[in-house]
Amino acid sequence: MATCSQLLAALREGAHNSALSALYAPEGGSPLDAAQARAVQVAEAFIARFGGDAPAAALFSGPGRTEIAGNHTDHQHGRVLCGSVNLDMLACAAPNGRSVVRFVSEGYPELEVSLDHLAPKKEEENTSAALVRGVAARIKELGYSLSGFDACATSTVLSGSGLSSSAAYETLVGNIFNHFCCGDKLDPITIAKIGQYAENVYFGKPCGLMDQMGSSVGGAVFIDFNDPTDPIVERVDYDFSKSGHALCIVDTGSSHGDLTDDYAAVTREMGAVAAHFGKTVLRDVPLKEFHAALPALREECGDRAVLRAMHFYADDRRAAQEADALKHGNFESFLNMVNASGLSSSLRLQNTWSISDPRQQAIPLALTVGQYILDGMGAIRVHGGGFAGTIQAWVPQERLTLFRDGMEALFGAGKCHVLRIRPQGGCVVAE
């Protein structure tokens, strides 16, 4: 078992570069140099705060995730395709022999969570402390003995980027507890469910499970939420680096701050259509019955609810088709369906701008300019919950510079993130 000082020395000497390369720089070169420097920096930060003598020190990663297919389908028990990305939360951690977690995240105040008091705290809602406490509580409920640890973390998963920084954090904390308290016995799906529990019960956000699955499992992941308590999870083996396209996430700079009602309306209106048939979610309503009832549904629920339900049926089916296209190496078919999903989100789901602020239409503007730059190539669509935030584009490598320059001229330097689907989810990087 290495102390943190020994771990730092090994990182400086390049002893863990193969593990770092697998996560951040499969082609080597300068990305590996940057990854090594970042790992060294977080170990140095740990020693500066907690000292270098703690035994069993290790480096942990919790990646961000991107939604690839299935826009607003998960909350109707539908199907999605998501993937972990090469932006992550990286932490150096070690057991502290106490019943407390001390966690330092770069740029944020240090938090301290007692493991002797694991009931939810109202005053902790919407805080990182709530996520740590919730993860710990659920692991204890599963029968494991808890012990405290110290951690220093840094993140490249920007808050509000649509890459789910909260799921990355939950995955990171879950893997630290798993390593120090559970003997690495928890599988990635269980860690994802633990993260969702923490976010639902302790953080106070009634999220689905897609974000945590995408972060924890790793690679491209197809998920069927027909039974949300026991979803079917399938890795989709496809090497995106061979596609000739770059994955770009463009941050339009528009805020999600006042969009709670917009998000709630999507779920509410889809639920109203399902309720017409005596069901809770659209997954339980056969498509033929839905189409047969269109005149009555228009009268009862309104046209927008009907259109949003139509989007669900189409995008639920498309998620499975996109996964199948990737399995068979048919990237052109995949791109066509990404574009179809984007069109459906715009016209049926109507989640590219908020009716509460019609002057702010950054998402439609980004999509329109992006389509012009792509000139019929690649694919582009709204990313995540929508109404504001980010778009996703699959950009041919020969147009990448043009696309990035065009997006950043519109929204600012550094707003176009060029990512890749990384093959590994939450993990122990080095020890």
Side-chain angles (χ1 to χ4, degrees), residues 67-81 208 210 222-226 228 266-267 270 281-283 308-320 341 344-345 349 351 381 384-385:
E67 171 201 288
I68 301 172
N71 195 219
H72 280 279
T73 56
D74 57 333
H75 54 72
Q76 296 300 305
H77 297 187
R79 294 168 287 185
V80 302
L81 180 65
M210 180 184 72
F222 176 71
I223 311 169
D224 186 336
F225 288 111
N226 191 38
V266 174
T267 306
M270 288 185 179
V281 294
L282 288 172
R283 181 67 180 267
R308 284 176 163 171
M310 287 178 171
H311 167 81
F312 164 78
Y313 286 111
D315 236 38
D316 174 63
R317 181 178 65 252
R318 240 186 318 262
S341 175
S344 181
S345 292
L349 186 59
N351 71 330
R381 51 167 288 224

mmCIF file of all heavy atoms in Angstrom, residues 67-81 208 210 222-226 228 266-267 270 281-283 308-320 341 344-345 349 351 381 384-385:
data_model
loop_
_atom_site.group_PDB
_atom_site.id
_atom_site.type_symbol
_atom_site.label_atom_id
_atom_site.label_comp_id
_atom_site.label_asym_id
_atom_site.label_seq_id
_atom_site.Cartn_x
_atom_site.Cartn_y
_atom_site.Cartn_z
ATOM 1 N N GLU A 67 -25.391 12.505 -23.535
ATOM 2 C CA GLU A 67 -26.558 11.795 -24.078
ATOM 3 C C GLU A 67 -26.369 11.687 -25.586
ATOM 4 O O GLU A 67 -26.168 12.686 -26.267
ATOM 5 C CB GLU A 67 -27.832 12.584 -23.753
ATOM 6 C CG GLU A 67 -29.076 12.073 -24.452
ATOM 7 C CD GLU A 67 -30.149 13.144 -24.520
ATOM 8 O OE1 GLU A 67 -30.756 13.463 -23.481
ATOM 9 O OE2 GLU A 67 -30.361 13.683 -25.624
ATOM 10 N N ILE A 68 -26.413 10.476 -26.092
ATOM 11 C CA ILE A 68 -26.214 10.256 -27.522
ATOM 12 C C ILE A 68 -27.551 10.098 -28.244
ATOM 13 O O ILE A 68 -27.742 10.596 -29.349
ATOM 14 C CB ILE A 68 -25.323 9.018 -27.762
ATOM 15 C CG1 ILE A 68 -23.957 9.223 -27.083
ATOM 16 C CG2 ILE A 68 -25.139 8.742 -29.257
ATOM 17 C CD1 ILE A 68 -23.071 7.991 -27.102
ATOM 18 N N ALA A 69 -28.493 9.395 -27.622
ATOM 19 C CA ALA A 69 -29.805 9.176 -28.239
ATOM 20 C C ALA A 69 -30.847 9.002 -27.143
ATOM 21 O O ALA A 69 -30.550 8.527 -26.050
ATOM 22 C CB ALA A 69 -29.783 7.924 -29.137
ATOM 23 N N GLY A 70 -32.077 9.378 -27.469
ATOM 24 C CA GLY A 70 -33.163 9.271 -26.515
ATOM 25 C C GLY A 70 -33.300 10.548 -25.709
ATOM 26 O O GLY A 70 -32.928 10.602 -24.543
ATOM 27 N N ASN A 71 -33.839 11.601 -26.344
ATOM 28 C CA ASN A 71 -33.996 12.896 -25.687
ATOM 29 C C ASN A 71 -35.335 12.942 -24.959
ATOM 30 O O ASN A 71 -36.389 12.871 -25.580
ATOM 31 C CB ASN A 71 -33.893 14.014 -26.728
ATOM 32 C CG ASN A 71 -33.688 15.387 -26.122
ATOM 33 O OD1 ASN A 71 -34.243 16.372 -26.587
ATOM 34 N ND2 ASN A 71 -32.878 15.478 -25.085
ATOM 35 N N HIS A 72 -35.294 13.036 -23.626
ATOM 36 C CA HIS A 72 -36.496 13.035 -22.788
ATOM 37 C C HIS A 72 -37.310 11.750 -22.953
ATOM 38 O O HIS A 72 -38.539 11.784 -22.994
ATOM 39 C CB HIS A 72 -37.369 14.259 -23.096
ATOM 40 C CG HIS A 72 -36.902 15.516 -22.434
ATOM 41 N ND1 HIS A 72 -37.176 15.822 -21.113
ATOM 42 C CD2 HIS A 72 -36.154 16.541 -22.895
ATOM 43 C CE1 HIS A 72 -36.637 16.989 -20.807
ATOM 44 N NE2 HIS A 72 -35.995 17.445 -21.875
ATOM 45 N N THR A 73 -36.626 10.627 -23.026
ATOM 46 C CA THR A 73 -37.324 9.336 -23.066
ATOM 47 C C THR A 73 -37.223 8.577 -21.752
ATOM 48 O O THR A 73 -38.088 7.767 -21.443
ATOM 49 C CB THR A 73 -36.760 8.445 -24.186
ATOM 50 O OG1 THR A 73 -35.356 8.289 -24.002
ATOM 51 C CG2 THR A 73 -37.029 9.042 -25.558
ATOM 52 N N ASP A 74 -36.174 8.843 -20.963
ATOM 53 C CA ASP A 74 -35.948 8.028 -19.767
ATOM 54 C C ASP A 74 -37.051 8.183 -18.736
ATOM 55 O O ASP A 74 -37.447 7.211 -18.089
ATOM 56 C CB ASP A 74 -34.574 8.326 -19.147
ATOM 57 C CG ASP A 74 -34.369 9.793 -18.790
ATOM 58 O OD1 ASP A 74 -35.001 10.661 -19.425
ATOM 59 O OD2 ASP A 74 -33.568 10.064 -17.869
ATOM 60 N N HIS A 75 -37.584 9.406 -18.575
ATOM 61 C CA HIS A 75 -38.606 9.591 -17.538
ATOM 62 C C HIS A 75 -39.950 8.968 -17.931
ATOM 63 O O HIS A 75 -40.859 8.881 -17.100
ATOM 64 C CB HIS A 75 -38.777 11.075 -17.178
ATOM 65 C CG HIS A 75 -39.047 11.989 -18.340
ATOM 66 N ND1 HIS A 75 -40.232 12.008 -19.017
ATOM 67 C CD2 HIS A 75 -38.259 12.925 -18.928
ATOM 68 C CE1 HIS A 75 -40.191 12.923 -19.967
ATOM 69 N NE2 HIS A 75 -38.987 13.498 -19.946
ATOM 70 N N GLN A 76 -40.074 8.516 -19.176
ATOM 71 C CA GLN A 76 -41.258 7.765 -19.601
ATOM 72 C C GLN A 76 -40.942 6.270 -19.709
ATOM 73 O O GLN A 76 -41.651 5.530 -20.387
ATOM 74 C CB GLN A 76 -41.755 8.301 -20.938
ATOM 75 C CG GLN A 76 -42.234 9.746 -20.887
ATOM 76 C CD GLN A 76 -43.392 9.944 -19.923
ATOM 77 O OE1 GLN A 76 -44.417 9.269 -20.032
ATOM 78 N NE2 GLN A 76 -43.236 10.850 -18.969
ATOM 79 N N HIS A 77 -39.887 5.841 -19.025
ATOM 80 C CA HIS A 77 -39.438 4.437 -18.989
ATOM 81 C C HIS A 77 -39.013 3.955 -20.371
ATOM 82 O O HIS A 77 -39.173 2.774 -20.693
ATOM 83 C CB HIS A 77 -40.507 3.519 -18.385
ATOM 84 C CG HIS A 77 -40.839 3.829 -16.964
ATOM 85 N ND1 HIS A 77 -41.681 3.025 -16.213
ATOM 86 C CD2 HIS A 77 -40.456 4.848 -16.148
ATOM 87 C CE1 HIS A 77 -41.790 3.548 -14.993
ATOM 88 N NE2 HIS A 77 -41.060 4.658 -14.939
ATOM 89 N N GLY A 78 -38.469 4.868 -21.166
ATOM 90 C CA GLY A 78 -38.042 4.533 -22.511
ATOM 91 C C GLY A 78 -36.600 4.087 -22.577
ATOM 92 O O GLY A 78 -35.978 3.695 -21.580
ATOM 93 N N ARG A 79 -36.035 4.180 -23.774
ATOM 94 C CA ARG A 79 -34.670 3.710 -24.037
ATOM 95 C C ARG A 79 -33.771 4.883 -24.391
ATOM 96 O O ARG A 79 -34.220 5.863 -24.994
ATOM 97 C CB ARG A 79 -34.711 2.678 -25.176
ATOM 98 C CG ARG A 79 -35.442 1.405 -24.790
ATOM 99 C CD ARG A 79 -35.734 0.510 -25.981
ATOM 100 N NE ARG A 79 -36.790 1.051 -26.823
ATOM 101 C CZ ARG A 79 -37.300 0.406 -27.878
ATOM 102 N NH1 ARG A 79 -36.829 -0.795 -28.210
ATOM 103 N NH2 ARG A 79 -38.257 0.957 -28.608
ATOM 104 N N VAL A 80 -32.499 4.761 -23.994
ATOM 105 C CA VAL A 80 -31.525 5.824 -24.237
ATOM 106 C C VAL A 80 -30.197 5.209 -24.648
ATOM 107 O O VAL A 80 -29.931 4.027 -24.399
ATOM 108 C CB VAL A 80 -31.301 6.716 -22.992
ATOM 109 C CG1 VAL A 80 -32.592 7.347 -22.524
ATOM 110 C CG2 VAL A 80 -30.653 5.922 -21.869
ATOM 111 N N LEU A 81 -29.377 6.025 -25.265
ATOM 112 C CA LEU A 81 -27.992 5.676 -25.569
ATOM 113 C C LEU A 81 -27.145 6.826 -25.051
ATOM 114 O O LEU A 81 -27.376 7.984 -25.397
ATOM 115 C CB LEU A 81 -27.807 5.502 -27.080
ATOM 116 C CG LEU A 81 -26.408 5.128 -27.587
ATOM 117 C CD1 LEU A 81 -25.999 3.751 -27.085
ATOM 118 C CD2 LEU A 81 -26.373 5.167 -29.116
ATOM 119 N N GLY A 208 -33.633 10.867 -13.328
ATOM 120 C CA GLY A 208 -33.624 9.470 -13.733
ATOM 121 C C GLY A 208 -32.246 8.878 -13.514
ATOM 122 O O GLY A 208 -31.399 9.446 -12.825
ATOM 123 N N MET A 210 -30.156 7.797 -16.128
ATOM 124 C CA MET A 210 -29.289 7.830 -17.298
ATOM 125 C C MET A 210 -27.936 8.476 -17.007
ATOM 126 O O MET A 210 -26.889 7.960 -17.406
ATOM 127 C CB MET A 210 -29.950 8.581 -18.450
ATOM 128 C CG MET A 210 -29.067 8.648 -19.698
ATOM 129 S SD MET A 210 -29.753 9.621 -21.038
ATOM 130 C CE MET A 210 -29.593 11.281 -20.399
ATOM 131 N N PHE A 222 -26.231 1.406 -23.921
ATOM 132 C CA PHE A 222 -27.653 1.390 -24.260
ATOM 133 C C PHE A 222 -28.421 0.938 -23.027
ATOM 134 O O PHE A 222 -28.087 -0.076 -22.415
ATOM 135 C CB PHE A 222 -27.926 0.448 -25.436
ATOM 136 C CG PHE A 222 -29.390 0.307 -25.768
ATOM 137 C CD1 PHE A 222 -30.084 1.351 -26.357
ATOM 138 C CD2 PHE A 222 -30.065 -0.868 -25.487
ATOM 139 C CE1 PHE A 222 -31.434 1.223 -26.657
ATOM 140 C CE2 PHE A 222 -31.411 -1.013 -25.793
ATOM 141 C CZ PHE A 222 -32.092 0.042 -26.383
ATOM 142 N N ILE A 223 -29.443 1.717 -22.642
ATOM 143 C CA ILE A 223 -30.198 1.422 -21.424
ATOM 144 C C ILE A 223 -31.683 1.398 -21.741
ATOM 145 O O ILE A 223 -32.218 2.320 -22.357
ATOM 146 C CB ILE A 223 -29.937 2.470 -20.329
ATOM 147 C CG1 ILE A 223 -28.438 2.718 -20.155
ATOM 148 C CG2 ILE A 223 -30.555 2.029 -19.007
ATOM 149 C CD1 ILE A 223 -28.125 3.917 -19.280
ATOM 150 N N ASP A 224 -32.348 0.337 -21.295
ATOM 151 C CA ASP A 224 -33.797 0.197 -21.414
ATOM 152 C C ASP A 224 -34.396 0.343 -20.020
ATOM 153 O O ASP A 224 -34.173 -0.489 -19.137
ATOM 154 C CB ASP A 224 -34.143 -1.167 -22.013
ATOM 155 C CG ASP A 224 -35.636 -1.311 -22.308
ATOM 156 O OD1 ASP A 224 -36.451 -0.609 -21.680
ATOM 157 O OD2 ASP A 224 -35.990 -2.151 -23.171
ATOM 158 N N PHE A 225 -35.182 1.416 -19.818
ATOM 159 C CA PHE A 225 -35.747 1.719 -18.507
ATOM 160 C C PHE A 225 -37.174 1.202 -18.348
ATOM 161 O O PHE A 225 -37.928 1.732 -17.531
ATOM 162 C CB PHE A 225 -35.734 3.232 -18.270
ATOM 163 C CG PHE A 225 -34.370 3.799 -18.017
ATOM 164 C CD1 PHE A 225 -33.762 4.622 -18.961
ATOM 165 C CD2 PHE A 225 -33.693 3.527 -16.846
ATOM 166 C CE1 PHE A 225 -32.509 5.160 -18.729
ATOM 167 C CE2 PHE A 225 -32.433 4.068 -16.603
ATOM 168 C CZ PHE A 225 -31.844 4.878 -17.546
ATOM 169 N N ASN A 226 -37.550 0.165 -19.089
ATOM 170 C CA ASN A 226 -38.902 -0.372 -18.957
ATOM 171 C C ASN A 226 -39.215 -0.701 -17.500
ATOM 172 O O ASN A 226 -40.322 -0.452 -17.016
ATOM 173 C CB ASN A 226 -39.058 -1.614 -19.833
ATOM 174 C CG ASN A 226 -40.505 -2.048 -19.944
ATOM 175 O OD1 ASN A 226 -41.408 -1.213 -20.018
ATOM 176 N ND2 ASN A 226 -40.749 -3.341 -19.971
ATOM 177 N N PRO A 228 -37.556 0.664 -14.331
ATOM 178 C CA PRO A 228 -36.512 1.590 -13.885
ATOM 179 C C PRO A 228 -35.770 1.126 -12.641
ATOM 180 O O PRO A 228 -34.663 1.608 -12.368
ATOM 181 C CB PRO A 228 -37.278 2.899 -13.628
ATOM 182 C CG PRO A 228 -38.694 2.497 -13.444
ATOM 183 C CD PRO A 228 -38.900 1.277 -14.279
ATOM 184 N N VAL A 266 -42.722 19.173 -19.769
ATOM 185 C CA VAL A 266 -42.508 18.027 -20.652
ATOM 186 C C VAL A 266 -43.013 16.751 -19.991
ATOM 187 O O VAL A 266 -43.786 15.977 -20.574
ATOM 188 C CB VAL A 266 -41.016 17.879 -21.018
ATOM 189 C CG1 VAL A 266 -40.785 16.591 -21.809
ATOM 190 C CG2 VAL A 266 -40.532 19.076 -21.820
ATOM 191 N N THR A 267 -42.569 16.519 -18.755
ATOM 192 C CA THR A 267 -42.998 15.315 -18.032
ATOM 193 C C THR A 267 -44.498 15.346 -17.782
ATOM 194 O O THR A 267 -45.182 14.318 -17.932
ATOM 195 C CB THR A 267 -42.246 15.227 -16.686
ATOM 196 O OG1 THR A 267 -40.845 15.309 -16.924
ATOM 197 C CG2 THR A 267 -42.565 13.925 -15.979
ATOM 198 N N MET A 270 -46.481 14.702 -21.188
ATOM 199 C CA MET A 270 -46.400 13.300 -21.589
ATOM 200 C C MET A 270 -47.203 12.431 -20.638
ATOM 201 O O MET A 270 -47.892 11.485 -21.064
ATOM 202 C CB MET A 270 -44.938 12.847 -21.621
ATOM 203 C CG MET A 270 -44.118 13.408 -22.770
ATOM 204 S SD MET A 270 -42.444 12.693 -22.810
ATOM 205 C CE MET A 270 -41.726 13.499 -24.233
ATOM 206 N N VAL A 281 -46.935 6.195 -17.537
ATOM 207 C CA VAL A 281 -45.894 6.596 -18.487
ATOM 208 C C VAL A 281 -46.257 6.123 -19.887
ATOM 209 O O VAL A 281 -46.999 5.143 -20.075
ATOM 210 C CB VAL A 281 -44.512 6.038 -18.083
ATOM 211 C CG1 VAL A 281 -44.042 6.665 -16.780
ATOM 212 C CG2 VAL A 281 -44.538 4.526 -17.974
ATOM 213 N N LEU A 282 -45.700 6.800 -20.896
ATOM 214 C CA LEU A 282 -46.031 6.483 -22.284
ATOM 215 C C LEU A 282 -45.522 5.116 -22.716
ATOM 216 O O LEU A 282 -46.082 4.508 -23.635
ATOM 217 C CB LEU A 282 -45.455 7.560 -23.210
ATOM 218 C CG LEU A 282 -46.160 8.920 -23.154
ATOM 219 C CD1 LEU A 282 -45.382 9.954 -23.950
ATOM 220 C CD2 LEU A 282 -47.589 8.805 -23.673
ATOM 221 N N ARG A 283 -44.453 4.616 -22.085
ATOM 222 C CA ARG A 283 -43.928 3.300 -22.462
ATOM 223 C C ARG A 283 -45.004 2.220 -22.355
ATOM 224 O O ARG A 283 -44.954 1.216 -23.075
ATOM 225 C CB ARG A 283 -42.723 2.956 -21.575
ATOM 226 C CG ARG A 283 -42.063 1.602 -21.871
ATOM 227 C CD ARG A 283 -41.395 1.592 -23.261
ATOM 228 N NE ARG A 283 -40.778 0.310 -23.546
ATOM 229 C CZ ARG A 283 -39.503 0.011 -23.299
ATOM 230 N NH1 ARG A 283 -38.701 0.916 -22.730
ATOM 231 N NH2 ARG A 283 -39.012 -1.161 -23.623
ATOM 232 N N ARG A 308 -45.438 16.130 -28.197
ATOM 233 C CA ARG A 308 -44.377 15.640 -27.317
ATOM 234 C C ARG A 308 -44.465 14.120 -27.142
ATOM 235 O O ARG A 308 -43.433 13.441 -27.058
ATOM 236 C CB ARG A 308 -44.440 16.366 -25.972
ATOM 237 C CG ARG A 308 -43.896 17.783 -26.074
ATOM 238 C CD ARG A 308 -44.019 18.604 -24.803
ATOM 239 N NE ARG A 308 -43.118 19.768 -24.897
ATOM 240 C CZ ARG A 308 -43.104 20.778 -24.032
ATOM 241 N NH1 ARG A 308 -43.928 20.779 -22.990
ATOM 242 N NH2 ARG A 308 -42.250 21.770 -24.203
ATOM 243 N N ALA A 309 -45.662 13.604 -27.091
ATOM 244 C CA ALA A 309 -45.815 12.151 -27.036
ATOM 245 C C ALA A 309 -45.318 11.513 -28.330
ATOM 246 O O ALA A 309 -44.664 10.460 -28.306
ATOM 247 C CB ALA A 309 -47.276 11.786 -26.783
ATOM 248 N N MET A 310 -45.611 12.128 -29.461
ATOM 249 C CA MET A 310 -45.106 11.623 -30.739
ATOM 250 C C MET A 310 -43.584 11.582 -30.742
ATOM 251 O O MET A 310 -42.971 10.629 -31.247
ATOM 252 C CB MET A 310 -45.602 12.508 -31.888
ATOM 253 C CG MET A 310 -47.072 12.348 -32.215
ATOM 254 S SD MET A 310 -47.566 13.487 -33.540
ATOM 255 C CE MET A 310 -49.229 12.880 -33.883
ATOM 256 N N HIS A 311 -42.966 12.620 -30.161
ATOM 257 C CA HIS A 311 -41.510 12.627 -30.062
ATOM 258 C C HIS A 311 -41.028 11.444 -29.229
ATOM 259 O O HIS A 311 -40.047 10.785 -29.599
ATOM 260 C CB HIS A 311 -41.014 13.925 -29.428
ATOM 261 C CG HIS A 311 -39.561 13.851 -29.024
ATOM 262 N ND1 HIS A 311 -38.538 14.026 -29.916
ATOM 263 C CD2 HIS A 311 -38.975 13.548 -27.829
ATOM 264 C CE1 HIS A 311 -37.379 13.863 -29.292
ATOM 265 N NE2 HIS A 311 -37.621 13.566 -28.025
ATOM 266 N N PHE A 312 -41.692 11.185 -28.108
ATOM 267 C CA PHE A 312 -41.259 10.063 -27.277
ATOM 268 C C PHE A 312 -41.233 8.762 -28.064
ATOM 269 O O PHE A 312 -40.231 8.032 -28.049
ATOM 270 C CB PHE A 312 -42.163 9.886 -26.051
ATOM 271 C CG PHE A 312 -41.973 8.541 -25.407
ATOM 272 C CD1 PHE A 312 -40.881 8.291 -24.595
ATOM 273 C CD2 PHE A 312 -42.853 7.492 -25.676
ATOM 274 C CE1 PHE A 312 -40.667 7.036 -24.036
ATOM 275 C CE2 PHE A 312 -42.657 6.237 -25.124
ATOM 276 C CZ PHE A 312 -41.542 6.008 -24.305
ATOM 277 N N TYR A 313 -42.319 8.457 -28.749
ATOM 278 C CA TYR A 313 -42.386 7.183 -29.483
ATOM 279 C C TYR A 313 -41.281 7.099 -30.542
ATOM 280 O O TYR A 313 -40.637 6.055 -30.707
ATOM 281 C CB TYR A 313 -43.757 7.028 -30.142
ATOM 282 C CG TYR A 313 -44.863 6.701 -29.162
ATOM 283 C CD1 TYR A 313 -45.853 7.633 -28.881
ATOM 284 C CD2 TYR A 313 -44.912 5.465 -28.528
ATOM 285 C CE1 TYR A 313 -46.877 7.351 -27.984
ATOM 286 C CE2 TYR A 313 -45.930 5.169 -27.623
ATOM 287 C CZ TYR A 313 -46.906 6.124 -27.359
ATOM 288 O OH TYR A 313 -47.914 5.825 -26.452
ATOM 289 N N ALA A 314 -41.040 8.207 -31.233
ATOM 290 C CA ALA A 314 -40.032 8.191 -32.300
ATOM 291 C C ALA A 314 -38.624 8.081 -31.734
ATOM 292 O O ALA A 314 -37.799 7.301 -32.223
ATOM 293 C CB ALA A 314 -40.168 9.451 -33.156
ATOM 294 N N ASP A 315 -38.322 8.861 -30.674
ATOM 295 C CA ASP A 315 -36.959 8.865 -30.151
ATOM 296 C C ASP A 315 -36.659 7.618 -29.330
ATOM 297 O O ASP A 315 -35.510 7.176 -29.264
ATOM 298 C CB ASP A 315 -36.704 10.128 -29.320
ATOM 299 C CG ASP A 315 -35.505 10.918 -29.836
ATOM 300 O OD1 ASP A 315 -35.342 10.974 -31.066
ATOM 301 O OD2 ASP A 315 -34.744 11.469 -29.024
ATOM 302 N N ASP A 316 -37.682 7.048 -28.708
ATOM 303 C CA ASP A 316 -37.506 5.773 -28.004
ATOM 304 C C ASP A 316 -37.088 4.687 -28.997
ATOM 305 O O ASP A 316 -36.147 3.922 -28.745
ATOM 306 C CB ASP A 316 -38.810 5.390 -27.305
ATOM 307 C CG ASP A 316 -38.751 4.024 -26.669
ATOM 308 O OD1 ASP A 316 -37.939 3.825 -25.749
ATOM 309 O OD2 ASP A 316 -39.511 3.135 -27.103
ATOM 310 N N ARG A 317 -37.761 4.638 -30.124
ATOM 311 C CA ARG A 317 -37.418 3.658 -31.161
ATOM 312 C C ARG A 317 -36.045 3.958 -31.755
ATOM 313 O O ARG A 317 -35.235 3.057 -31.986
ATOM 314 C CB ARG A 317 -38.485 3.681 -32.258
ATOM 315 C CG ARG A 317 -38.240 2.681 -33.403
ATOM 316 C CD ARG A 317 -39.357 2.725 -34.432
ATOM 317 N NE ARG A 317 -39.409 4.008 -35.123
ATOM 318 C CZ ARG A 317 -40.357 4.924 -34.941
ATOM 319 N NH1 ARG A 317 -41.326 4.725 -34.066
ATOM 320 N NH2 ARG A 317 -40.342 6.072 -35.612
ATOM 321 N N ARG A 318 -35.769 5.250 -31.954
ATOM 322 C CA ARG A 318 -34.506 5.648 -32.571
ATOM 323 C C ARG A 318 -33.300 5.289 -31.703
ATOM 324 O O ARG A 318 -32.238 4.941 -32.209
ATOM 325 C CB ARG A 318 -34.504 7.150 -32.842
ATOM 326 C CG ARG A 318 -34.339 7.485 -34.322
ATOM 327 C CD ARG A 318 -34.197 8.951 -34.575
ATOM 328 N NE ARG A 318 -35.077 9.781 -33.811
ATOM 329 C CZ ARG A 318 -36.235 10.284 -34.243
ATOM 330 N NH1 ARG A 318 -36.660 10.018 -35.459
ATOM 331 N NH2 ARG A 318 -36.964 11.049 -33.472
ATOM 332 N N ALA A 319 -33.454 5.386 -30.386
ATOM 333 C CA ALA A 319 -32.339 5.053 -29.500
ATOM 334 C C ALA A 319 -31.877 3.624 -29.733
ATOM 335 O O ALA A 319 -30.669 3.340 -29.806
ATOM 336 C CB ALA A 319 -32.737 5.258 -28.037
ATOM 337 N N ALA A 320 -32.831 2.701 -29.876
ATOM 338 C CA ALA A 320 -32.483 1.301 -30.145
ATOM 339 C C ALA A 320 -31.861 1.157 -31.527
ATOM 340 O O ALA A 320 -30.903 0.391 -31.719
ATOM 341 C CB ALA A 320 -33.721 0.421 -30.008
ATOM 342 N N SER A 341 -33.382 12.857 -34.847
ATOM 343 C CA SER A 341 -33.699 13.111 -33.440
ATOM 344 C C SER A 341 -33.687 14.607 -33.151
ATOM 345 O O SER A 341 -34.552 15.133 -32.440
ATOM 346 C CB SER A 341 -32.699 12.388 -32.542
ATOM 347 O OG SER A 341 -32.916 12.720 -31.185
ATOM 348 N N SER A 344 -36.815 16.166 -34.519
ATOM 349 C CA SER A 344 -37.961 15.826 -33.683
ATOM 350 C C SER A 344 -37.965 16.634 -32.390
ATOM 351 O O SER A 344 -39.009 17.100 -31.934
ATOM 352 C CB SER A 344 -37.950 14.329 -33.369
ATOM 353 O OG SER A 344 -39.062 13.970 -32.572
ATOM 354 N N SER A 345 -36.785 16.819 -31.789
ATOM 355 C CA SER A 345 -36.704 17.623 -30.565
ATOM 356 C C SER A 345 -37.158 19.053 -30.835
ATOM 357 O O SER A 345 -37.849 19.667 -30.016
ATOM 358 C CB SER A 345 -35.280 17.616 -30.007
ATOM 359 O OG SER A 345 -34.928 16.339 -29.515
ATOM 360 N N LEU A 349 -40.908 17.856 -29.650
ATOM 361 C CA LEU A 349 -40.649 18.048 -28.219
ATOM 362 C C LEU A 349 -40.615 19.530 -27.859
ATOM 363 O O LEU A 349 -41.019 19.927 -26.770
ATOM 364 C CB LEU A 349 -39.320 17.372 -27.853
ATOM 365 C CG LEU A 349 -38.935 17.342 -26.378
ATOM 366 C CD1 LEU A 349 -39.997 16.631 -25.550
ATOM 367 C CD2 LEU A 349 -37.585 16.663 -26.192
ATOM 368 N N ASN A 351 -38.080 21.708 -27.268
ATOM 369 C CA ASN A 351 -37.242 22.025 -26.108
ATOM 370 C C ASN A 351 -35.952 22.742 -26.500
ATOM 371 O O ASN A 351 -34.926 22.583 -25.858
ATOM 372 C CB ASN A 351 -36.905 20.752 -25.319
ATOM 373 C CG ASN A 351 -35.931 19.836 -26.061
ATOM 374 O OD1 ASN A 351 -35.906 19.795 -27.285
ATOM 375 N ND2 ASN A 351 -35.142 19.088 -25.302
ATOM 376 N N ARG A 381 -27.678 18.331 -33.024
ATOM 377 C CA ARG A 381 -28.956 18.266 -32.297
ATOM 378 C C ARG A 381 -28.814 18.963 -30.949
ATOM 379 O O ARG A 381 -27.702 19.223 -30.480
ATOM 380 C CB ARG A 381 -29.361 16.811 -32.053
ATOM 381 C CG ARG A 381 -28.300 15.965 -31.426
ATOM 382 C CD ARG A 381 -28.854 14.631 -30.928
ATOM 383 N NE ARG A 381 -29.682 14.809 -29.762
ATOM 384 C CZ ARG A 381 -29.621 14.023 -28.678
ATOM 385 N NH1 ARG A 381 -28.772 13.011 -28.619
ATOM 386 N NH2 ARG A 381 -30.404 14.232 -27.655
ATOM 387 N N GLY A 384 -29.120 17.055 -24.135
ATOM 388 C CA GLY A 384 -29.633 17.034 -22.772
ATOM 389 C C GLY A 384 -31.039 17.578 -22.665
ATOM 390 O O GLY A 384 -31.849 17.460 -23.582
ATOM 391 N N GLY A 385 -31.327 18.207 -21.530
ATOM 392 C CA GLY A 385 -32.699 18.644 -21.243
ATOM 393 C C GLY A 385 -33.219 19.705 -22.176
ATOM 394 O O GLY A 385 -34.410 19.771 -22.466
#
